[in-house]
Amino acid sequence: MVRTPLTPEERERGERLGRLLREARASTGRSMLDVATCSGLSAETLRKIETGRAPTPAFFTVAALAATLGLSLDDLLQRCALLPVEEAA
């Protein structure tokens, strides 16, 4: 099965999600390893999500990270809504 390439908007949304998760983790003072372990993920998976290299993590992955970091899924949904990305001229 071939996966459809992500649109620029989807890639940007993944980067935004990663940034929000990284900022939330930093604000708690928790390490990447601690958050990953508590969420049932590897530190490498969390690193990929935080850096936008894994822009479409599974719902249950995002839910586990949100629970670990004390984030609202509703808030994440609103802050990660698809936004138009202007193409370089």
Side-chain angles (χ1 to χ4, degrees):
M1 182 167 113
V2 176
R3 184 174 178 168
T4 305
L6 298 176
T7 65
E9 292 83 6
E10 290 168 328
R11 284 193 302 275
E12 194 281 329
R13 176 178 57 186
E15 291 170 3
R16 199 167 349 120
L17 172 63
R19 198 168 36 254
L20 290 169
L21 294 172
R22 186 173 52 252
E23 290 169 359
R25 182 175 58 79
S27 73
T28 65
R30 296 174 75 179
S31 72
M32 184 177 285
L33 182 60
D34 177 47
V35 170
T37 301
C38 290
S39 300
L41 306 171
S42 70
E44 182 58 24
T45 297
L46 180 54
R47 182 180 323 340
K48 287 179 181 177
I49 294 168
E50 285 188 356
T51 60
R53 287 187 354 214
T56 58
F59 170 78
F60 289 104
T61 298
V62 175
L65 286 166
T68 298
L69 293 168
L71 299 173
S72 158
L73 284 175
D74 288 334
D75 184 49
L76 281 178
L77 176 64
Q78 289 178 337
R79 295 175 71 185
C80 292
L82 277 178
L83 300 173
V85 173
E86 293 185 29
E87 295 186 29

